[in-house]
Every structure is written in structure tokens, then in C-alpha cells.
Amino acid sequence: AQSVTQLGSHVSVSEGALVLLRCNYSSSVPPYLFWYVQYPNQGLQLLLKYTSAATLVKGINGFEAEFKKSETSFHLTKPSAHMSDAAEYFCAVNFGNEKLTFGTGTRLTIIP
Amino acid sequence: EPEVTQTPSHQVTQMGQEVILRCVPISNHLYFYWYRQILGQKVEFLVSFYNNEISEKSEIFDDQFSVERPDGSNFTLKIRSTKLEDSAMYFCASSSRDRDYEQYFGPGTRLTVT
């Protein structure tokens, strides 16, 4: 079955610390992978996407993600957290059909 | 930069009433979508629309829901008889499909059914 799993519904990191948000997927076909960010009371903004080119993908706001086929993972990282990174982050996958399948989301809190 | 717009930003309606949520996709996009997000939950796919017809729909998208592209620019979602459980944020998205399935999302309409 095709699915997306985000481990950790809440993650807290100190300002300046590494951010790591986890996403794993299950798919029988090569997926297209995305990370979206949702700030409070706002819509979904694309952070970055993997589309079978480079496995390390750089996005906006200093975020990057690495596609690891052997681990079926697409974890999101940022070397140094900023207060403005506090938001909800969603991993989403297109399994080659019409829709995006979203993970349950991870709420990132930044501790001053 | 082109963007997807949605109106209204917030709609309050009574149970049993009909609502229409409106979206203006990016002008050269051909694929259109509706998603919803119940408060505190994940974003769920409702329906996709291409070439003036539904191309895929989820089990959530029952007979109470319909979509339309009435005039070549707007894309609407109609809920015929709203239920309390329809309260959610509804997102419209569009895609050109030539950019690796990237979907551009609107800011959403918060629907509150009382």
C-alpha cells in the first residue's frame, strides 16, 4: 500500500540547533516527494521537492532534504533553526496519480 | 509571481445550507484540485479536475459535493447540504503538470458549519 509517515507530531529545537523532521513513504512506484510549510492561519507553501534528479534537494529558507531510496525516506533538515521556522511541516507524496498524499504533519517549535 | 486565490477567506453557514467555495487557479494551469484540512488533522485530497471533468475523487467526495469550472477562470467547490463535520479549511490547488507534479496551493477558505 502507498503511504506517507511523519514520525513525531511535535518537535522542539533550540534556536541555532539542527532541525530534523522525518518522513518515510511506502510505494511500489518511484514517487515525487514534497515538503510544504504551513504558518499559523496561512496556506501551504512549497519548501522543496524531489523529482528524480539530485537526491539532495535544497529549498527555500535554508532547508534541504535527502532522498534515500534504500531507506524510503525524505527527511527535512536545516543546520541552524531560526525563530521564524516555527510552523507546521507536511511531507507529501505523489505516487504517479492525480493527488498528493500528505503525512500527518510535524509542528516545529523553536526554543529561544 | 502568479498565485492561486480563494474566496471567501472565511465562511460561516448553518447546517443544511449550500455553500460555494471559489478559487482562481494560475492562468496557464490545466489541472485543478480541492483538498481539505479538518482542524488539527492532516490535509486530505478531495477531488481532481481536468479537461472539464473529474479525473479522480476520494471517498470523502460524496454526492453532497460537486465541482465546476464555470467560466474558464474560476474553479468552484459546492457543498449542497452542509454538515457539522464539513467544518474545515478547504484548499484549492492547480498544476501545469510540466513541473514534476508540483501543485500550487491557495490560502484556503475556512468553512465553519454551525
Side-chain angles (χ1 to χ4, degrees):
Chain A
Q2 297 172 329
S3 63
V4 184
T5 302
Q6 287 184 246
L7 288 176
S9 58
H10 290 87
V11 171
S12 295
V13 302
S14 297
E15 190 175 14
L18 171 72
V19 175
L20 170 61
L21 305 182
R22 299 177 187 275
C23 175
N24 288 85
Y25 68 92
S26 173
S27 176
S28 56
V29 297
Y32 292 92
L33 299 154
F34 305 85
W35 276 99
Y36 284 86
V37 61
Q38 185 180 33
Y39 297 102
N41 300 312
Q42 294 188 28
L44 298 165
Q45 181 181 5
L46 182 67
L47 272 178
L48 48 77
K49 62 182 179 183
Y50 168 75
T51 57
S52 76
T55 56
L56 181 61
V57 181
K58 294 189 185 300
I60 62 171
N61 302 337
F63 283 92
E64 60 183 37
E66 185 172 9
F67 172 66
K68 292 187 177 180
K69 184 178 179 180
S70 60
E71 298 177 8
T72 61
S73 69
F74 190 55
H75 301 330
L76 181 71
T77 60
K78 182 173 180 177
S80 177
H82 192 274
M83 294 300 295
S84 61
D85 295 327
E88 185 102 21
Y89 291 81
F90 292 94
C91 180
V93 183
N94 186 301
F95 294 107
N97 52 20
E98 297 290 331
K99 63 185 182 184
L100 286 177
T101 299
F102 283 82
T104 50
T106 298
R107 182 170 300 279
L108 177 64
T109 300
I110 310 299
I111 304 166
Chain B
E1 185 176 335
E3 59 182 18
V4 177
T5 60
Q6 290 185 242
T7 54
S9 57
H10 191 188
Q11 173 103 37
V12 181
T13 189
Q14 289 189 328
M15 194 168 51
Q17 295 297 304
E18 175 183 286
V19 294
I20 298 176
L21 309 183
R22 291 182 167 78
C23 168
V24 179
I26 294 173
S27 62
N28 64 340
H29 285 183
L30 301 175
Y31 300 84
F32 314 112
Y33 312 85
W34 283 102
Y35 292 81
R36 80 172 185 189
Q37 183 184 30
I38 295 173
L39 186 64
Q41 298 185 26
K42 68 176 179 179
V43 179
E44 301 174 289
F45 169 78
L46 290 178
V47 65
S48 59
F49 190 85
Y50 169 71
N51 199 26
N52 283 318
E53 61 183 25
I54 290 173
S55 47
E56 187 174 348
K57 62 182 180 180
S58 72
E59 58 188 24
I60 302 168
F61 194 88
D62 61 21
D63 292 343
Q64 292 300 311
F65 291 88
S66 62
V67 289
E68 193 177 32
R69 188 159 162 79
D71 56 13
S73 62
N74 289 282
F75 179 51
T76 61
L77 174 70
K78 182 193 291 186
I79 309 175
R80 287 189 184 81
S81 178
T82 50
K83 303 188 275 288
L84 293 177
E85 53 266 37
D86 294 327
S87 295
M89 182 74 91
Y90 288 81
F91 293 106
C92 173
S94 69
S95 169
S96 64
R97 281 291 191 91
D98 63 354
R99 293 193 63 186
D100 305 315
Y101 292 92
E102 181 176 341
Q103 296 182 16
Y104 293 78
F105 283 79
T109 293
R110 181 168 298 284
L111 176 65
T112 302
V113 182
T114 61

